[in-house]
Amino acid sequence: MSHQSSDQGVFLGSKKQQALRNILESDIGSFSREADRHKKIHRTCASSVIALAAATTITASLGLALDKTYGRAIQFIVVALTSTTTAVSAWAEMRKARELWRHEREVEYALKDILRELDYRSVTGESNEKYLDDCFNRAASVIGSSSSKWARIHERSLAANPTDGDNS
C-alpha cells in the first residue's frame, strides 16, 4: 500500500510539474509576443522619424536650390514634414514602446531562467513538491514585480507630463 501511495505522489508531482511548465511556457510566449510587438513599434517609429527628418532637410535644401516659383510649395512641404515628424515622435513617446519592449523582454528572460532550472532539476530528479511550489512562487513574484515596475514607469511618465493624467 505504501508503494502505491509513493507512486501516486510521484504522479501528482509530475502533474504539478507539467502544470507549472505549461504556465511558464504560456507566460513566456505571451511576454515574448508582446516584446516583439513593442520592439517592432519602437523600431518603426524610430526609422520613420529618421526618414522624415532626412526628407525635411532635403526638401528645405531644395527650396534654396530652386527658384522662387516653388518657394511657397516647398515651405508648405517642409512644414507638413516637420509636423508629421513631431506627431510620430509624440505618438511613439506616448506609447512607451521602447520601455515596454525592454521590460517585457526582461520578464520573459526571468521566466525562462525559472523554466530552465525546472527542466534541469526534473532531469536530475531534484524536483519535489516544495521546489515546485517555490518555482511557482518565484514566477508569480516576477510577474507581480513586473506590474509594479510598469506602474512606476507610468507614474514617472505622468509626473513628467502632468496633463496626461487629466480627464478634463
Side-chain angles (χ1 to χ4, degrees):
M1 188 91 174
S2 67
H3 178 67
Q4 185 179 19
S5 63
S6 76
D7 285 347
Q8 188 177 20
V10 169
F11 176 72
L12 289 176
S14 175
K15 272 181 80 170
K16 192 174 191 176
Q17 183 172 341
Q18 189 57 45
L20 177 58
R21 180 173 233 304
N22 291 343
I23 290 168
L24 287 169
E25 287 175 345
S26 174
D27 288 344
I28 289 167
S30 177
F31 277 100
S32 179
R33 282 187 302 278
E34 286 300 306
D36 289 345
R37 188 171 69 86
H38 287 114
K39 177 182 176 180
K40 184 178 178 180
I41 290 169
H42 167 67
R43 288 197 171 163
T44 299
C45 288
S47 298
S48 297
V49 167
I50 291 167
L52 286 164
T56 302
T57 303
I58 291 167
T59 305
S61 298
L62 282 175
L64 296 172
L66 298 176
D67 60 21
K68 293 185 181 201
T69 57
Y70 297 107
R72 288 233 187 263
I74 289 178
Q75 287 175 0
F76 175 76
I77 293 169
V78 168
V79 168
L81 286 169
T82 303
S83 298
T84 304
T85 304
T86 302
V88 170
S89 296
W91 184 80
E93 185 57 33
M94 285 178 8
R95 289 281 306 185
K96 300 276 184 217
R98 178 179 51 203
E99 288 88 351
L100 274 169
W101 160 37
R102 289 178 178 169
H103 175 69
E104 289 159 347
R105 197 64 80 198
E106 184 180 298
V107 173
E108 174 193 357
Y109 291 154
L111 293 174
K112 280 183 175 181
D113 288 344
I114 294 169
L115 181 60
R116 187 177 306 109
E117 185 179 336
L118 177 67
D119 286 344
Y120 176 77
R121 297 275 299 256
S122 68
V123 170
T124 61
E126 297 176 29
S127 60
N128 57 32
E129 290 287 319
K130 183 182 178 329
Y131 173 73
L132 295 174
D133 290 340
D134 289 345
C135 280
F136 178 81
N137 290 333
R138 283 176 41 209
S141 175
V142 166
I143 291 173
S145 67
S146 164
S147 298
S148 298
K149 183 176 179 182
W150 182 246
R152 284 191 307 274
I153 291 170
H154 187 65
E155 284 174 15
R156 281 196 314 259
S157 169
L158 290 177
N161 304 309
T163 57
D164 286 353
D166 293 346
N167 290 331
S168 52

